Amino acid sequence: MRRQIGPVGRATRAAYGVLLAFPVALFSFAVATDIAYLRTAEMQWSNFSAWSITVGLVFGGVALVCALLALLAGLRSGRRAPRLLHAAALALMCLLGLINAFKHSQDAWSSVGAFGLILSILTAVAALVAALVAYSGAMNEEAA
Amino acid sequence: MRIGTLTCVAALLALGACGRSDPNLNQTGANPDLPGVRETLVPPMRIAKPVGWGDAVPTAPSGFTVTALATDLQIPRQMLVLPNGDILVAEGRGGGAPRLRPKDVIAGVIKKQGNTKVESGDRITLLRDADNDGRAEVRTVFVDGLDAPYGLAFVNGYLYVANQDALVRFPYQEGQTRITASPEEVTKLPAALNHHWTKAMTASADGQTLYVGIGSNSNVGERGMAVEEERAVIWAIDPTTGARRTVARGIRNPTALAIEPATSALWAVVNERDEIGPQLAPDYLTSVREGGFYGWPYSYWGKNLDPRVKPQKPELVATAITPDYALGSHVAALGLSFATQGGFGGTYAEGAFIGQHGSWNRQDLAGYKVVWTPFSAGRPSGPPVDFVTGFLTEEGRARGRPVGVTFDPAKRILLVADDLSNTVWRVAPQR
């Protein structure tokens, strides 16, 4: 039997989708600005990366808290696997993003370097995985 | 301060590395031990929390006494003794480079914990202790309305003041206690951003040249090299025309300049770069060679490459001069004054007093004292020895932080500006 969700539930899901859009966009943007920095040694690109990663981390952190609460609240619901995958991807994204924020606080070339670019790519991939799981709707389906 | 512990824990989690110093390394003198570059995700930061002096005073060697010549100043930095014995104290705080990264915001908040909360004086105070009893019977605001004054010099009847943005001068009559004349601009000084804002200054022995130190606009070029034009340099300025030439380059932050009395050579204390380990790179004392390049940002202590700087300039690094004398990493040497006319005599007859403001970029606090470096025939001749200490409590809290030091041969006293407790200390032989 399928349960209908009300307007409040729909609005909550929409808001969560908007929240998730920030880390997806910001962490992906940081990959592009990291590459731009490594190609030009123009510090402004590295500064863009640093801000993108920091703000991505703020929104991503809020999303992670929401995901963990939803996981706890929905412990007995059927479709736990997508929720677990989503929360795990978000957690990985936040951990890598935090390390990457520190990496990008180093000076000049060390603010990016090979390690910074790898961290940026992995963080962006984790963000994309988390968002794809969420946007696919798999987390919201009830068990058959 | 628990921030240091927290950053260490974070760094440990992130990298498994925490900035521990090796006490067996000797980081002073002509051949300092240099460990490898050690970058951590979070730089080790430890700020000594200010506690004030209470009834305590700094400690000097036996046979000397320390008293406060002036208190409640507004961030005293460098000092100058006029021909009649009056003491001038430059007060203020400059800088204010824009924060470009999240790091600039966070590090700014942390470093502020270790500094005075007093507003910038932007003025020069005059102290007169004609009978040399350690009490200033006259204290006046000598010049007001300056812009973060730092370097001071007196040449040919003019007081020269190095503001953070310009070199200005005032005509001076002996005995004056207040200058009302407007400043005459001799030349502008590089002032964009002013990440390192202090403009140190000294006059050549013949009074024909003023030397001004202009610090870099970043730690190691992380604001881009475009803003480093005529930064990390020392200028020689004609005091009458304002014409200038650059006598040294790549000299990261020359915070105090002085003339060595035996040779009349220009010497500088220089603050080196941060965030490549608790024991890199050593701050140094060096004679300034005409046309010399001292490495920044490409290399430190001569030709040791800094991996953070890309693109490198190998042909320039090949010319980098190794400084004369290391003072220790992160000690933040801000004061330099040579003993003249026999100094205090004995072991303190020939050499330099060096004020060390103290570290933030290492867990084991370094500096926070005034050291004496003995000289012989115009060159350093031995390891530095502590001269004025007691700026730190046993718990590692800061009672004060020394900046400028000035030896007055006429009165045989050493003056030490303390910009945390806003005091000028007077060190004198016991009578």
Side-chain angles (χ1 to χ4, degrees), chain A residues 51 105-110, chain B residues 39-40 100-101 103 219 308:
Chain A
W51 284 110
S105 77
Q106 292 183 339
D107 284 340
W109 194 261
S110 294
Chain B
E39 288 187 76
T40 47
L100 297 185
R101 294 192 283 169
K103 170 205 195 160
N219 177 28
R308 298 170 295 183

Side-chain angles (χ1 to χ4, degrees), chain A residues 27-78:
Chain A
F27 286 130
S28 306
F29 183 61
V31 174
T33 50
D34 271 2
I35 292 168
Y37 173 69
L38 293 176
R39 290 172 65 94
T40 62
E42 183 60 59
M43 286 310 307
Q44 183 74 320
W45 293 117
S46 173
N47 295 342
F48 282 155
S49 295
W51 284 110
S52 299
I53 292 161
T54 303
V55 180
L57 204 49
V58 170
F59 283 97
V62 176
L64 176 62
V65 170
C66 295
L68 291 176
L69 288 177
L71 202 60
L72 282 174
L75 271 182
R76 287 165 196 283
S77 78

Side-chain angles (χ1 to χ4, degrees), chain B residues 82-88 126-128 130 138 140 142 154 157 171-179:
Chain B
L82 290 170
N84 73 340
D86 287 351
I87 297 155
L88 301 184
L126 178 141
L127 304 171
R128 179 175 293 167
V138 176
T140 60
F142 191 61
F154 180 74
Y172 164 79
Q173 305 293 327
E174 185 157 323
Q176 256 185 297
T177 56
R178 167 136 193 111
I179 282 183

